[in-house]
Amino acid sequence: MDYSAANTVLWGIVIQLGLIAGAILFSQFLYRVFPPLQKAMLPAAVLAGFLLLAAKLLGLPLDDELMEMLVFHGIALGFIAMSLRVPAHPRDRTEKLTGLKSGAVIVSTYLVQGAAGLLISLLLSHTLMPGLFHAAGMLLPMGYGQGPGQANNVGSAYEALGFVGGRSYGMAIAAAGYLVACTVGVVILNILRHRGLLTPAQNVAPAQERARDYFASEEGGSVSASIDAMSVQAAMVLLVYLATFLVTRALTAGLAAAAPGVAATVSPLLWGFNFIIGSALAIALRVLLGQRKTQRPSRALQYQNNYLLGRISGFFFDLMIVAGIASIEPSDVRALLLPFLLMAVVGGVVTWLHLRFVCAAVYPEYRYQGLISMFGMLTGTISSGILLLREIDPELSTPAANNLVTGSSFGIILGAPILVLVSLAAKSEPLCWLTLGLVLVYLCLLLLIIFRLGNRRDRKA
C-alpha cells in the first residue's frame, strides 16, 4: 500500500478533518479575542461552519460529499450517545407527565412550522414561482425544528424527487434557524428583562441537581483499570451504530421482498431517519444494562459514564453542524431566495407565537425559562436552547434544561408520524394539500395532550 501523499484516498479524509478542526479552533480564538461574539451567543460550531463556507467560496478545496457523509453519520452517533445516558434519578409521575407534554410541545412546533412552510411553498407554486417544488415547505420544520442533520437528509431525498438544490436549501434553512435562535433570542431576552418578566421560579430547587446530573454526571464507567472509560463509551456507541445498520438493512430488505412499491417510498426514509432506530436500540441497551445492575447489584457494573457520553454526543453534533453548513451550495439557494426569506422569517414568528401559547400551560412555575429554552432549541439545536437558558438561569435551577432532554426522548415517539407526512407531501400536489390537512389534525391531538392530559387529576389533588 502507498502511504505517501500520492494516495489521495488515504490522506484526503485527514486533510478535510484537519480543515474542520482548524475552523473550530479558529472560531474559539475569535470568541476569546472579540467579546461581541460571546454576547451574540452564536455557537462556535456554527461560526466555524460559516468560516469554512466563506473559505470554500474563496477557493478552499472542500469535499462536499465527505461533508454530507459526516452530517449523516454525526446525527446518528450523537443521538445514540445521548440515548445511552442513564437517568440520574427515578422520575415521579409529575415529571414523566411534564416530559410527555414537553415532547408534545416539541412535535406540535414541528407541525406548526410544517403548516406554515407548506402554505408558503404551495401559494408560491401557484403565483410567483410556478416551478417551485410543492413540498419544499416541509424543510422548514426539518431545518428549524430538527436541525442540519434532518435538513440534509430530507433535502437530499427531495432533491432525488425533483427539488433542484433541495439539500442546500434545507441546510440554508437550518443555518437561518441558528441565526434566529442567537439573534432574535437575545433580543427577546432583553425585552423580557426590560419588562420585568424574568423572575426566579419558585419551588424548583431540587431540579438544579437533576440538571447537573444530566449535563455533567461523572458517575459510572469505571469498568476496568485495564481499559480507559472513554474507550468503553465509544465502543458502546459504535456497537449500537453497527446494530442500527444491520437492523435497518434487515427492515428494508424485508420490506422490499414483501411490498416493493411501499419499499421504494419507505426505505429511503428508514435510512435517512436511521438515528431514530439507533436511539431506540441505545435505549434498549440502556434498559438491559440497568436491569442487570438491579438484579445483581453486588456484581454488576455500570458501563455508561454520563459525562463522557455527553462529550461524545457533543463532539458528533459539533462535527455535524460544521460539516453541514460548510457543504451549503450558495448557487442552489440563490435561485430559491424568495421562499427561503419568507420561510426564515415566518418560521421564526410562528415558532415564537406557538411556544408562547403552549409553554404558559406546560411550565406555569417557570414559564419564561421554559419558553426561552424551547425557542432556542426549536430554531437551532439543544445547545442554542441551553445557551439562551443560561442567560436567565445560569445555575440551571429550573427543570427547563431537563425538559429539553426528556422532551426530545418523547418527541422521537410522538414525531414518528411526521416521517410519513414528509414522504406523502413529496408525492404530488393533491397529496401535499392532504398532508397539510393531516398536519392540522395531528396538531389538534397534540394540543389536547398539552392542555387536557392530567388536568382532571391535578384538580382533584
Side-chain angles (χ1 to χ4, degrees), residues 200-239:
Q202 302 296 322
N203 302 322
V204 292
Q208 181 174 354
E209 295 180 3
R210 294 197 296 271
R212 287 175 175 171
D213 284 338
Y214 266 110
F215 293 99
S217 173
E218 299 185 21
E219 296 177 358
S222 304
V223 177
S224 173
S226 64
I227 186 170
D228 188 81
M230 183 69 174
S231 301
V232 176
Q233 313 312 307
M236 284 192 294
V237 171
L238 293 175
L239 181 62

mmCIF file of all heavy atoms in Angstrom, residues 200-239:
data_model
loop_
_atom_site.group_PDB
_atom_site.id
_atom_site.type_symbol
_atom_site.label_atom_id
_atom_site.label_comp_id
_atom_site.label_asym_id
_atom_site.label_seq_id
_atom_site.Cartn_x
_atom_site.Cartn_y
_atom_site.Cartn_z
ATOM 1 N N PRO A 200 -37.241 34.829 39.297
ATOM 2 C CA PRO A 200 -36.840 33.471 39.682
ATOM 3 C C PRO A 200 -38.050 32.575 39.898
ATOM 4 O O PRO A 200 -39.059 32.996 40.455
ATOM 5 C CB PRO A 200 -36.076 33.692 40.991
ATOM 6 C CG PRO A 200 -35.649 35.121 40.950
ATOM 7 C CD PRO A 200 -36.738 35.846 40.214
ATOM 8 N N ALA A 201 -37.946 31.331 39.439
ATOM 9 C CA ALA A 201 -39.043 30.373 39.627
ATOM 10 C C ALA A 201 -39.086 29.907 41.066
ATOM 11 O O ALA A 201 -38.083 29.927 41.778
ATOM 12 C CB ALA A 201 -38.861 29.183 38.691
ATOM 13 N N GLN A 202 -40.267 29.482 41.494
ATOM 14 C CA GLN A 202 -40.466 29.032 42.872
ATOM 15 C C GLN A 202 -40.599 27.511 42.921
ATOM 16 O O GLN A 202 -41.068 26.883 41.979
ATOM 17 C CB GLN A 202 -41.746 29.667 43.435
ATOM 18 C CG GLN A 202 -41.725 31.185 43.413
ATOM 19 C CD GLN A 202 -40.640 31.767 44.297
ATOM 20 O OE1 GLN A 202 -40.379 31.245 45.382
ATOM 21 N NE2 GLN A 202 -40.010 32.830 43.839
ATOM 22 N N ASN A 203 -40.168 26.934 44.063
ATOM 23 C CA ASN A 203 -40.371 25.506 44.335
ATOM 24 C C ASN A 203 -39.743 24.587 43.303
ATOM 25 O O ASN A 203 -40.298 23.571 42.930
ATOM 26 C CB ASN A 203 -41.873 25.187 44.431
ATOM 27 C CG ASN A 203 -42.556 25.998 45.500
ATOM 28 O OD1 ASN A 203 -41.999 26.232 46.563
ATOM 29 N ND2 ASN A 203 -43.767 26.450 45.207
ATOM 30 N N VAL A 204 -38.566 24.957 42.781
ATOM 31 C CA VAL A 204 -37.911 24.126 41.775
ATOM 32 C C VAL A 204 -36.463 23.868 42.143
ATOM 33 O O VAL A 204 -35.683 23.452 41.318
ATOM 34 C CB VAL A 204 -37.976 24.797 40.381
ATOM 35 C CG1 VAL A 204 -39.382 24.825 39.871
ATOM 36 C CG2 VAL A 204 -37.413 26.222 40.438
ATOM 37 N N ALA A 205 -36.066 24.105 43.402
ATOM 38 C CA ALA A 205 -34.666 23.947 43.792
ATOM 39 C C ALA A 205 -34.111 22.551 43.535
ATOM 40 O O ALA A 205 -32.982 22.411 43.091
ATOM 41 C CB ALA A 205 -34.502 24.317 45.262
ATOM 42 N N PRO A 206 -34.874 21.459 43.805
ATOM 43 C CA PRO A 206 -34.315 20.125 43.556
ATOM 44 C C PRO A 206 -33.937 19.886 42.109
ATOM 45 O O PRO A 206 -33.127 19.021 41.818
ATOM 46 C CB PRO A 206 -35.451 19.181 43.983
ATOM 47 C CG PRO A 206 -36.278 19.983 44.933
ATOM 48 C CD PRO A 206 -36.199 21.384 44.427
ATOM 49 N N ALA A 207 -34.501 20.636 41.177
ATOM 50 C CA ALA A 207 -34.191 20.406 39.768
ATOM 51 C C ALA A 207 -32.755 20.779 39.428
ATOM 52 O O ALA A 207 -32.211 20.318 38.436
ATOM 53 C CB ALA A 207 -35.140 21.225 38.889
ATOM 54 N N GLN A 208 -32.125 21.633 40.252
ATOM 55 C CA GLN A 208 -30.744 22.005 39.980
ATOM 56 C C GLN A 208 -29.845 20.772 39.968
ATOM 57 O O GLN A 208 -28.999 20.615 39.095
ATOM 58 C CB GLN A 208 -30.265 22.999 41.032
ATOM 59 C CG GLN A 208 -28.817 23.468 40.801
ATOM 60 C CD GLN A 208 -28.433 24.547 41.777
ATOM 61 O OE1 GLN A 208 -29.253 25.018 42.532
ATOM 62 N NE2 GLN A 208 -27.176 24.930 41.748
ATOM 63 N N GLU A 209 -30.049 19.896 40.941
ATOM 64 C CA GLU A 209 -29.234 18.692 40.973
ATOM 65 C C GLU A 209 -29.530 17.800 39.776
ATOM 66 O O GLU A 209 -28.629 17.220 39.180
ATOM 67 C CB GLU A 209 -29.500 17.917 42.270
ATOM 68 C CG GLU A 209 -29.069 18.670 43.526
ATOM 69 C CD GLU A 209 -29.362 17.857 44.773
ATOM 70 O OE1 GLU A 209 -29.832 16.715 44.622
ATOM 71 O OE2 GLU A 209 -29.123 18.355 45.873
ATOM 72 N N ARG A 210 -30.804 17.713 39.362
ATOM 73 C CA ARG A 210 -31.136 16.872 38.221
ATOM 74 C C ARG A 210 -30.500 17.417 36.952
ATOM 75 O O ARG A 210 -30.009 16.660 36.122
ATOM 76 C CB ARG A 210 -32.662 16.785 38.067
ATOM 77 C CG ARG A 210 -33.350 16.066 39.210
ATOM 78 C CD ARG A 210 -34.753 15.669 38.798
ATOM 79 N NE ARG A 210 -35.594 16.819 38.521
ATOM 80 C CZ ARG A 210 -36.329 17.443 39.419
ATOM 81 N NH1 ARG A 210 -36.300 17.044 40.681
ATOM 82 N NH2 ARG A 210 -37.085 18.461 39.083
ATOM 83 N N ALA A 211 -30.536 18.751 36.794
ATOM 84 C CA ALA A 211 -29.939 19.325 35.598
ATOM 85 C C ALA A 211 -28.443 19.062 35.542
ATOM 86 O O ALA A 211 -27.897 18.711 34.501
ATOM 87 C CB ALA A 211 -30.206 20.843 35.579
ATOM 88 N N ARG A 212 -27.768 19.221 36.678
ATOM 89 C CA ARG A 212 -26.333 18.956 36.692
ATOM 90 C C ARG A 212 -26.038 17.489 36.406
ATOM 91 O O ARG A 212 -25.064 17.144 35.746
ATOM 92 C CB ARG A 212 -25.747 19.363 38.045
ATOM 93 C CG ARG A 212 -25.667 20.883 38.208
ATOM 94 C CD ARG A 212 -25.190 21.275 39.589
ATOM 95 N NE ARG A 212 -25.013 22.696 39.699
ATOM 96 C CZ ARG A 212 -24.773 23.325 40.840
ATOM 97 N NH1 ARG A 212 -24.709 22.636 41.969
ATOM 98 N NH2 ARG A 212 -24.618 24.636 40.865
ATOM 99 N N ASP A 213 -26.901 16.599 36.913
ATOM 100 C CA ASP A 213 -26.695 15.182 36.631
ATOM 101 C C ASP A 213 -26.830 14.902 35.140
ATOM 102 O O ASP A 213 -26.103 14.098 34.587
ATOM 103 C CB ASP A 213 -27.706 14.332 37.412
ATOM 104 C CG ASP A 213 -27.339 14.231 38.881
ATOM 105 O OD1 ASP A 213 -26.151 14.442 39.192
ATOM 106 O OD2 ASP A 213 -28.226 13.962 39.704
ATOM 107 N N TYR A 214 -27.789 15.575 34.511
ATOM 108 C CA TYR A 214 -27.980 15.335 33.087
ATOM 109 C C TYR A 214 -26.791 15.808 32.261
ATOM 110 O O TYR A 214 -26.392 15.171 31.299
ATOM 111 C CB TYR A 214 -29.236 16.071 32.593
ATOM 112 C CG TYR A 214 -30.468 15.213 32.606
ATOM 113 C CD1 TYR A 214 -31.494 15.458 33.514
ATOM 114 C CD2 TYR A 214 -30.613 14.163 31.710
ATOM 115 C CE1 TYR A 214 -32.632 14.671 33.536
ATOM 116 C CE2 TYR A 214 -31.756 13.383 31.721
ATOM 117 C CZ TYR A 214 -32.750 13.641 32.628
ATOM 118 O OH TYR A 214 -33.864 12.862 32.631
ATOM 119 N N PHE A 215 -26.210 16.928 32.629
ATOM 120 C CA PHE A 215 -25.224 17.535 31.756
ATOM 121 C C PHE A 215 -23.786 17.377 32.232
ATOM 122 O O PHE A 215 -22.866 17.679 31.495
ATOM 123 C CB PHE A 215 -25.535 19.031 31.573
ATOM 124 C CG PHE A 215 -26.812 19.246 30.828
ATOM 125 C CD1 PHE A 215 -27.982 19.529 31.491
ATOM 126 C CD2 PHE A 215 -26.847 19.118 29.464
ATOM 127 C CE1 PHE A 215 -29.169 19.702 30.804
ATOM 128 C CE2 PHE A 215 -28.029 19.289 28.760
ATOM 129 C CZ PHE A 215 -29.184 19.588 29.438
ATOM 130 N N ALA A 216 -23.561 16.906 33.451
ATOM 131 C CA ALA A 216 -22.189 16.783 33.923
ATOM 132 C C ALA A 216 -21.975 15.620 34.869
ATOM 133 O O ALA A 216 -21.086 15.651 35.703
ATOM 134 C CB ALA A 216 -21.761 18.079 34.612
ATOM 135 N N SER A 217 -22.780 14.576 34.744
ATOM 136 C CA SER A 217 -22.619 13.437 35.637
ATOM 137 C C SER A 217 -21.347 12.676 35.328
ATOM 138 O O SER A 217 -21.032 12.410 34.180
ATOM 139 C CB SER A 217 -23.821 12.499 35.508
ATOM 140 O OG SER A 217 -23.599 11.335 36.252
ATOM 141 N N GLU A 218 -20.584 12.323 36.345
ATOM 142 C CA GLU A 218 -19.368 11.549 36.168
ATOM 143 C C GLU A 218 -19.488 10.187 36.827
ATOM 144 O O GLU A 218 -18.500 9.505 37.055
ATOM 145 C CB GLU A 218 -18.176 12.314 36.736
ATOM 146 C CG GLU A 218 -17.941 13.651 36.051
ATOM 147 C CD GLU A 218 -16.678 14.319 36.550
ATOM 148 O OE1 GLU A 218 -15.816 13.613 37.090
ATOM 149 O OE2 GLU A 218 -16.555 15.531 36.407
ATOM 150 N N GLU A 219 -20.713 9.791 37.164
ATOM 151 C CA GLU A 219 -20.894 8.508 37.817
ATOM 152 C C GLU A 219 -20.766 7.369 36.814
ATOM 153 O O GLU A 219 -21.118 7.501 35.654
ATOM 154 C CB GLU A 219 -22.286 8.452 38.460
ATOM 155 C CG GLU A 219 -22.470 9.483 39.573
ATOM 156 C CD GLU A 219 -23.873 9.431 40.132
ATOM 157 O OE1 GLU A 219 -24.679 8.632 39.614
ATOM 158 O OE2 GLU A 219 -24.155 10.178 41.068
ATOM 159 N N GLY A 220 -20.295 6.259 37.277
ATOM 160 C CA GLY A 220 -20.242 5.066 36.434
ATOM 161 C C GLY A 220 -19.084 5.093 35.475
ATOM 162 O O GLY A 220 -18.295 6.016 35.408
ATOM 163 N N GLY A 221 -18.985 4.053 34.684
ATOM 164 C CA GLY A 221 -17.985 3.990 33.646
ATOM 165 C C GLY A 221 -16.683 3.374 34.083
ATOM 166 O O GLY A 221 -15.819 3.121 33.266
ATOM 167 N N SER A 222 -16.468 3.099 35.355
ATOM 168 C CA SER A 222 -15.213 2.527 35.821
ATOM 169 C C SER A 222 -15.278 1.007 35.677
ATOM 170 O O SER A 222 -15.394 0.272 36.647
ATOM 171 C CB SER A 222 -14.962 2.912 37.280
ATOM 172 O OG SER A 222 -14.975 4.304 37.425
ATOM 173 N N VAL A 223 -15.249 0.548 34.445
ATOM 174 C CA VAL A 223 -15.468 -0.863 34.185
ATOM 175 C C VAL A 223 -14.245 -1.676 34.556
ATOM 176 O O VAL A 223 -14.324 -2.701 35.206
ATOM 177 C CB VAL A 223 -15.819 -1.067 32.691
ATOM 178 C CG1 VAL A 223 -15.986 -2.553 32.403
ATOM 179 C CG2 VAL A 223 -17.092 -0.320 32.344
ATOM 180 N N SER A 224 -13.098 -1.201 34.190
ATOM 181 C CA SER A 224 -11.885 -1.955 34.457
ATOM 182 C C SER A 224 -10.690 -1.033 34.358
ATOM 183 O O SER A 224 -10.665 -0.116 33.544
ATOM 184 C CB SER A 224 -11.743 -3.111 33.459
ATOM 185 O OG SER A 224 -10.500 -3.741 33.615
ATOM 186 N N ALA A 225 -9.707 -1.287 35.199
ATOM 187 C CA ALA A 225 -8.494 -0.468 35.155
ATOM 188 C C ALA A 225 -7.676 -0.756 33.913
ATOM 189 O O ALA A 225 -6.784 0.011 33.559
ATOM 190 C CB ALA A 225 -7.653 -0.729 36.407
ATOM 191 N N SER A 226 -7.972 -1.867 33.221
ATOM 192 C CA SER A 226 -7.180 -2.249 32.055
ATOM 193 C C SER A 226 -7.652 -1.566 30.776
ATOM 194 O O SER A 226 -7.029 -1.718 29.727
ATOM 195 C CB SER A 226 -7.235 -3.771 31.867
ATOM 196 O OG SER A 226 -8.564 -4.178 31.587
ATOM 197 N N ILE A 227 -8.770 -0.841 30.831
ATOM 198 C CA ILE A 227 -9.274 -0.159 29.647
ATOM 199 C C ILE A 227 -9.790 1.214 30.045
ATOM 200 O O ILE A 227 -10.390 1.380 31.112
ATOM 201 C CB ILE A 227 -10.382 -0.989 28.957
ATOM 202 C CG1 ILE A 227 -10.797 -0.340 27.643
ATOM 203 C CG2 ILE A 227 -11.586 -1.176 29.878
ATOM 204 C CD1 ILE A 227 -11.700 -1.224 26.802
ATOM 205 N N ASP A 228 -9.537 2.181 29.210
ATOM 206 C CA ASP A 228 -9.956 3.546 29.508
ATOM 207 C C ASP A 228 -11.478 3.664 29.423
ATOM 208 O O ASP A 228 -12.122 3.042 28.565
ATOM 209 C CB ASP A 228 -9.304 4.508 28.513
ATOM 210 C CG ASP A 228 -9.541 5.952 28.889
ATOM 211 O OD1 ASP A 228 -8.824 6.459 29.745
ATOM 212 O OD2 ASP A 228 -10.476 6.558 28.317
ATOM 213 N N ALA A 229 -12.061 4.446 30.340
ATOM 214 C CA ALA A 229 -13.524 4.605 30.368
ATOM 215 C C ALA A 229 -14.043 5.192 29.062
ATOM 216 O O ALA A 229 -15.122 4.831 28.586
ATOM 217 C CB ALA A 229 -13.927 5.491 31.544
ATOM 218 N N MET A 230 -13.263 6.084 28.451
ATOM 219 C CA MET A 230 -13.668 6.681 27.184
ATOM 220 C C MET A 230 -13.762 5.618 26.093
ATOM 221 O O MET A 230 -14.663 5.665 25.238
ATOM 222 C CB MET A 230 -12.677 7.772 26.784
ATOM 223 C CG MET A 230 -13.046 8.514 25.527
ATOM 224 S SD MET A 230 -14.523 9.552 25.782
ATOM 225 C CE MET A 230 -14.569 10.397 24.213
ATOM 226 N N SER A 231 -12.866 4.663 26.113
ATOM 227 C CA SER A 231 -12.893 3.591 25.119
ATOM 228 C C SER A 231 -14.164 2.768 25.240
ATOM 229 O O SER A 231 -14.751 2.339 24.240
ATOM 230 C CB SER A 231 -11.668 2.684 25.276
ATOM 231 O OG SER A 231 -10.469 3.411 25.130
ATOM 232 N N VAL A 232 -14.597 2.524 26.473
ATOM 233 C CA VAL A 232 -15.825 1.755 26.695
ATOM 234 C C VAL A 232 -17.029 2.508 26.131
ATOM 235 O O VAL A 232 -17.894 1.919 25.460
ATOM 236 C CB VAL A 232 -16.018 1.471 28.200
ATOM 237 C CG1 VAL A 232 -17.348 0.765 28.444
ATOM 238 C CG2 VAL A 232 -14.869 0.638 28.729
ATOM 239 N N GLN A 233 -17.105 3.824 26.384
ATOM 240 C CA GLN A 233 -18.238 4.610 25.890
ATOM 241 C C GLN A 233 -18.258 4.615 24.361
ATOM 242 O O GLN A 233 -19.311 4.413 23.740
ATOM 243 C CB GLN A 233 -18.182 6.045 26.417
ATOM 244 C CG GLN A 233 -17.902 6.187 27.901
ATOM 245 C CD GLN A 233 -18.747 5.307 28.782
ATOM 246 O OE1 GLN A 233 -19.968 5.318 28.696
ATOM 247 N NE2 GLN A 233 -18.102 4.532 29.636
ATOM 248 N N ALA A 234 -17.088 4.849 23.761
ATOM 249 C CA ALA A 234 -17.013 4.875 22.304
ATOM 250 C C ALA A 234 -17.371 3.513 21.707
ATOM 251 O O ALA A 234 -18.052 3.430 20.674
ATOM 252 C CB ALA A 234 -15.605 5.293 21.857
ATOM 253 N N ALA A 235 -16.929 2.429 22.368
ATOM 254 C CA ALA A 235 -17.231 1.083 21.877
ATOM 255 C C ALA A 235 -18.728 0.821 21.901
ATOM 256 O O ALA A 235 -19.288 0.234 20.956
ATOM 257 C CB ALA A 235 -16.487 0.039 22.709
ATOM 258 N N MET A 236 -19.413 1.248 22.964
ATOM 259 C CA MET A 236 -20.862 1.045 23.035
ATOM 260 C C MET A 236 -21.581 1.830 21.947
ATOM 261 O O MET A 236 -22.514 1.323 21.300
ATOM 262 C CB MET A 236 -21.379 1.454 24.422
ATOM 263 C CG MET A 236 -21.073 0.457 25.518
ATOM 264 S SD MET A 236 -21.986 0.809 27.047
ATOM 265 C CE MET A 236 -21.250 2.384 27.511
ATOM 266 N N VAL A 237 -21.159 3.069 21.723
ATOM 267 C CA VAL A 237 -21.793 3.891 20.695
ATOM 268 C C VAL A 237 -21.616 3.260 19.318
ATOM 269 O O VAL A 237 -22.569 3.139 18.538
ATOM 270 C CB VAL A 237 -21.210 5.325 20.725
ATOM 271 C CG1 VAL A 237 -21.709 6.123 19.526
ATOM 272 C CG2 VAL A 237 -21.594 6.030 22.021
ATOM 273 N N LEU A 238 -20.393 2.838 19.008
ATOM 274 C CA LEU A 238 -20.127 2.242 17.693
ATOM 275 C C LEU A 238 -20.834 0.902 17.532
ATOM 276 O O LEU A 238 -21.301 0.561 16.437
ATOM 277 C CB LEU A 238 -18.614 2.084 17.503
ATOM 278 C CG LEU A 238 -17.829 3.391 17.400
ATOM 279 C CD1 LEU A 238 -16.330 3.106 17.346
ATOM 280 C CD2 LEU A 238 -18.259 4.192 16.174
ATOM 281 N N LEU A 239 -20.915 0.122 18.614
ATOM 282 C CA LEU A 239 -21.615 -1.158 18.541
ATOM 283 C C LEU A 239 -23.100 -0.955 18.253
ATOM 284 O O LEU A 239 -23.697 -1.663 17.427
ATOM 285 C CB LEU A 239 -21.429 -1.929 19.846
ATOM 286 C CG LEU A 239 -22.087 -3.321 19.907
ATOM 287 C CD1 LEU A 239 -21.487 -4.234 18.849
ATOM 288 C CD2 LEU A 239 -21.935 -3.931 21.303
#
